[in-house]
Coordinates of all heavy atoms in Angstrom, one line a residue:
G1005 N -20.8 5.5 3.4 CA -21.7 4.6 4.2 C -23.1 5.3 4.3 O -23.2 6.5 4.4
E1006 N -24.1 4.4 4.2 CA -25.5 4.9 4.4 C -25.8 5.3 5.8 O -26.8 6.0 6.1 CB -26.5 3.8 4.0 CG -26.6 3.6 2.5 CD -27.6 2.6 2.1 OE1 -28.3 2.0 3.0 OE2 -27.8 2.4 0.9
K1007 N -24.9 5.0 6.7 CA -25.0 5.4 8.2 C -25.2 6.9 8.3 O -26.1 7.3 9.0 CB -23.8 4.9 8.9 CG -23.4 5.7 10.1 CD -24.0 5.2 11.3 CE -23.5 5.9 12.6 NZ -23.2 7.3 12.4
D1008 N -24.5 7.6 7.5 CA -24.7 9.1 7.5 C -25.5 9.4 6.2 O -25.0 9.9 5.2 CB -23.3 9.8 7.4 CG -22.5 9.6 8.7 OD1 -23.0 9.9 9.8 OD2 -21.4 9.0 8.6
W1009 N -26.8 9.1 6.4 CA -27.7 9.2 5.2 C -27.8 10.6 4.6 O -27.7 10.7 3.4 CB -29.1 8.7 5.6 CG -30.1 8.7 4.5 CD1 -31.0 9.6 4.1 CD2 -30.2 7.6 3.5 NE1 -31.6 9.3 3.0 CE2 -31.2 8.1 2.6 CE3 -29.5 6.4 3.3 CZ2 -31.5 7.3 1.5 CZ3 -29.9 5.7 2.2 CH2 -30.8 6.1 1.3
Q1010 N -27.9 11.6 5.5 CA -28.0 12.9 5.0 C -26.7 13.3 4.3 O -26.8 14.0 3.2 CB -28.3 13.9 6.1 CG -28.7 15.3 5.7 CD -29.1 16.2 6.8 OE1 -29.0 15.9 8.0 NE2 -29.7 17.4 6.4
Q1011 N -25.6 12.9 4.8 CA -24.3 13.2 4.1 C -24.3 12.6 2.7 O -23.8 13.2 1.8 CB -23.2 12.7 5.0 CG -21.8 12.7 4.3 CD -20.7 12.3 5.2 OE1 -20.2 13.2 5.9 NE2 -20.2 11.1 5.2
L1012 N -24.7 11.4 2.7 CA -24.8 10.7 1.4 C -25.6 11.4 0.3 O -25.2 11.6 -0.8 CB -25.3 9.2 1.6 CG -25.5 8.4 0.3 CD1 -24.2 8.2 -0.5 CD2 -26.0 7.0 0.7
Q1013 N -26.8 12.0 0.8 CA -27.6 12.7 -0.1 C -27.0 14.0 -0.5 O -27.1 14.5 -1.6 CB -29.0 13.0 0.5 CG -29.8 11.8 1.0 CD -29.6 10.6 0.0 OE1 -29.9 10.8 -1.2 NE2 -29.3 9.4 0.5
V1014 N -26.3 14.7 0.5 CA -25.6 15.9 0.2 C -24.5 15.7 -0.8 O -24.4 16.5 -1.8 CB -25.0 16.5 1.5 CG1 -24.0 17.6 1.3 CG2 -26.1 17.0 2.4
V1015 N -23.7 14.7 -0.7 CA -22.6 14.5 -1.6 C -23.1 14.1 -3.0 O -22.5 14.6 -4.0 CB -21.6 13.4 -1.0 CG1 -20.5 13.1 -2.0 CG2 -21.0 13.9 0.3
T1016 N -24.1 13.3 -3.0 CA -24.7 12.9 -4.3 C -25.2 14.2 -5.0 O -25.0 14.3 -6.2 CB -25.9 11.9 -4.0 OG1 -25.4 10.8 -3.3 CG2 -26.5 11.4 -5.3
R1017 N -25.9 15.1 -4.3 CA -26.4 16.3 -4.8 C -25.3 17.2 -5.4 O -25.3 17.7 -6.5 CB -27.2 17.0 -3.7 CG -28.0 18.2 -4.1 CD -29.3 17.8 -4.9 NE -29.1 18.1 -6.3 CZ -29.8 17.6 -7.2 NH1 -30.8 16.8 -7.0 NH2 -29.5 17.9 -8.5
V1018 N -24.2 17.3 -4.6 CA -23.1 18.2 -5.0 C -22.5 17.6 -6.3 O -22.2 18.4 -7.2 CB -22.0 18.2 -3.9 CG1 -20.7 18.8 -4.4 CG2 -22.5 19.0 -2.7
A1019 N -22.2 16.3 -6.3 CA -21.6 15.7 -7.5 C -22.5 15.9 -8.7 O -22.0 16.3 -9.8 CB -21.4 14.2 -7.3
A1020 N -23.8 15.8 -8.6 CA -24.7 16.0 -9.7 C -24.7 17.5 -10.1 O -24.6 17.9 -11.3 CB -26.1 15.6 -9.3
D1021 N -24.9 18.4 -9.1 CA -25.0 19.8 -9.4 C -23.7 20.4 -10.0 O -23.8 21.3 -10.8 CB -25.4 20.6 -8.1 CG -26.8 20.3 -7.7 OD1 -27.5 19.7 -8.4 OD2 -27.1 20.8 -6.5
L1022 N -22.6 19.9 -9.6 CA -21.3 20.4 -10.2 C -20.8 19.6 -11.3 O -19.7 19.8 -11.8 CB -20.3 20.5 -9.1 CG -20.6 21.4 -7.9 CD1 -19.4 21.4 -6.9 CD2 -20.9 22.8 -8.3
D1023 N -21.6 18.7 -11.8 CA -21.3 17.8 -13.0 C -19.9 17.2 -12.8 O -19.1 17.1 -13.7 CB -21.2 18.7 -14.3 CG -22.5 19.4 -14.5 OD1 -23.6 18.8 -14.4 OD2 -22.5 20.7 -14.7
L1024 N -19.7 16.7 -11.6 CA -18.4 16.0 -11.3 C -18.4 14.7 -11.9 O -19.4 13.9 -11.8 CB -18.2 15.9 -9.8 CG -18.2 17.2 -9.0 CD1 -18.0 17.0 -7.5 CD2 -17.2 18.2 -9.5
P1025 N -17.3 14.3 -12.6 CA -17.3 13.0 -13.3 C -17.0 11.9 -12.3 O -16.0 11.2 -12.4 CB -16.1 13.2 -14.3 CG -15.2 14.2 -13.7 CD -16.1 15.1 -12.8
I1026 N -17.9 11.7 -11.4 CA -17.7 10.6 -10.4 C -19.0 10.0 -10.1 O -20.1 10.7 -10.1 CB -17.0 11.2 -9.1 CG1 -16.5 10.2 -8.2 CG2 -18.0 12.2 -8.4 CD1 -15.6 10.6 -7.1
R1027 N -19.0 8.7 -9.8 CA -20.2 8.0 -9.4 C -20.2 7.8 -7.9 O -19.2 7.4 -7.3 CB -20.2 6.6 -10.0 CG -21.5 5.8 -9.9 CD -21.6 4.8 -11.0 NE -20.5 3.8 -10.9 CZ -20.6 2.6 -10.3 NH1 -21.7 2.2 -9.7 NH2 -19.6 1.8 -10.3
I1028 N -21.3 8.3 -7.2 CA -21.4 8.1 -5.7 C -22.1 6.9 -5.4 O -23.3 6.7 -5.8 CB -22.1 9.4 -5.1 CG1 -21.4 10.7 -5.6 CG2 -22.1 9.3 -3.6 CD1 -20.0 10.9 -5.2
L1029 N -21.5 6.0 -4.6 CA -22.1 4.7 -4.3 C -22.4 4.8 -2.8 O -21.5 5.1 -2.0 CB -21.2 3.6 -4.5 CG -21.1 2.9 -5.8 CD1 -20.1 1.7 -5.8 CD2 -22.5 2.4 -6.2
G1030 N -23.6 4.4 -2.4 CA -23.9 4.3 -0.9 C -23.8 2.8 -0.5 O -24.1 1.9 -1.3
H1031 N -23.3 2.6 0.7 CA -23.2 1.2 1.1 C -24.0 1.0 2.4 O -23.9 1.8 3.3 CB -21.7 0.8 1.4 CG -21.5 -0.6 1.7 ND1 -21.5 -1.1 2.9 CD2 -21.2 -1.7 0.8 CE1 -21.3 -2.4 2.9 NE2 -21.1 -2.8 1.6
P1032 N -24.7 -0.1 2.5 CA -25.6 -0.3 3.7 C -24.8 -0.2 5.0 O -23.7 -0.6 5.1 CB -26.2 -1.7 3.5 CG -26.1 -1.9 2.1 CD -24.9 -1.2 1.6
T1033 N -25.5 0.3 6.0 CA -24.9 0.5 7.4 C -24.4 -0.8 7.9 O -25.2 -1.8 7.9 CB -25.9 1.1 8.3 OG1 -26.4 2.4 7.7 CG2 -25.4 1.4 9.7
V1034 N -23.2 -0.8 8.5 CA -22.7 -2.0 9.1 C -23.0 -1.9 10.6 O -22.8 -0.8 11.2 CB -21.2 -2.2 8.9 CG1 -20.7 -3.4 9.7 CG2 -20.9 -2.4 7.4
R1035 N -23.6 -3.0 11.2 CA -24.0 -2.9 12.6 C -23.2 -3.9 13.5 O -22.8 -4.9 13.0 CB -25.5 -3.2 12.7 CG -26.3 -2.2 12.0 CD -27.8 -2.4 12.1 NE -28.5 -1.4 11.4 CZ -28.7 -0.2 11.8 NH1 -28.5 0.1 13.1 NH2 -29.3 0.8 11.1
E1036 N -23.1 -3.5 14.8 CA -22.5 -4.4 15.8 C -23.5 -5.6 16.0 O -24.7 -5.4 15.5 CB -22.3 -3.7 17.1 CG -21.4 -2.5 17.0 CD -20.0 -2.8 16.9 OE1 -19.6 -4.0 16.9 OE2 -19.2 -1.9 16.7
A1037 N -23.1 -6.7 16.6 CA -24.0 -7.8 16.8 C -25.3 -7.4 17.5 O -26.4 -8.0 17.2 CB -23.3 -8.9 17.6
D1038 N -25.3 -6.4 18.4 CA -26.5 -6.0 19.1 C -27.3 -4.9 18.3 O -28.3 -4.4 18.9 CB -26.1 -5.5 20.5 CG -25.2 -4.3 20.5 OD1 -24.9 -3.7 19.4 OD2 -24.6 -3.9 21.5
G1039 N -26.9 -4.6 17.1 CA -27.7 -3.7 16.2 C -27.2 -2.3 16.2 O -27.7 -1.5 15.3
L1040 N -26.3 -1.9 17.1 CA -25.8 -0.5 17.1 C -25.0 -0.3 15.8 O -24.2 -1.1 15.4 CB -24.9 -0.3 18.3 CG -24.4 1.1 18.4 CD1 -25.5 2.2 18.6 CD2 -23.3 1.2 19.5
A1041 N -25.3 0.8 15.1 CA -24.6 1.2 13.9 C -23.1 1.4 14.2 O -22.8 2.2 15.2 CB -25.2 2.4 13.2
C1042 N -22.2 0.9 13.5 CA -20.8 1.1 13.7 C -20.5 2.6 13.5 O -21.0 3.2 12.5 CB -19.9 0.3 12.7 SG -20.0 -1.5 13.0
S1043 N -19.7 3.2 14.4 CA -19.4 4.6 14.3 C -18.1 4.8 15.0 O -17.9 4.2 16.1 CB -20.5 5.5 14.8 OG -20.0 6.8 15.1

Side-chain angles (χ1 to χ4, degrees):
E1006 289 185 354
K1007 150 87 174 37
D1008 294 302
W1009 183 262
Q1010 190 173 10
Q1011 168 172 278
L1012 174 60
Q1013 304 319 310
V1014 164
V1015 174
T1016 303
R1017 190 72 258 165
V1018 169
D1021 289 351
L1022 299 182
D1023 306 311
L1024 303 180
I1026 191 163
R1027 189 159 61 98
I1028 308 296
L1029 273 183
H1031 189 270
T1033 303
V1034 176
R1035 297 181 181 276
E1036 305 285 353
D1038 59 11
L1040 180 65
C1042 291
S1043 165

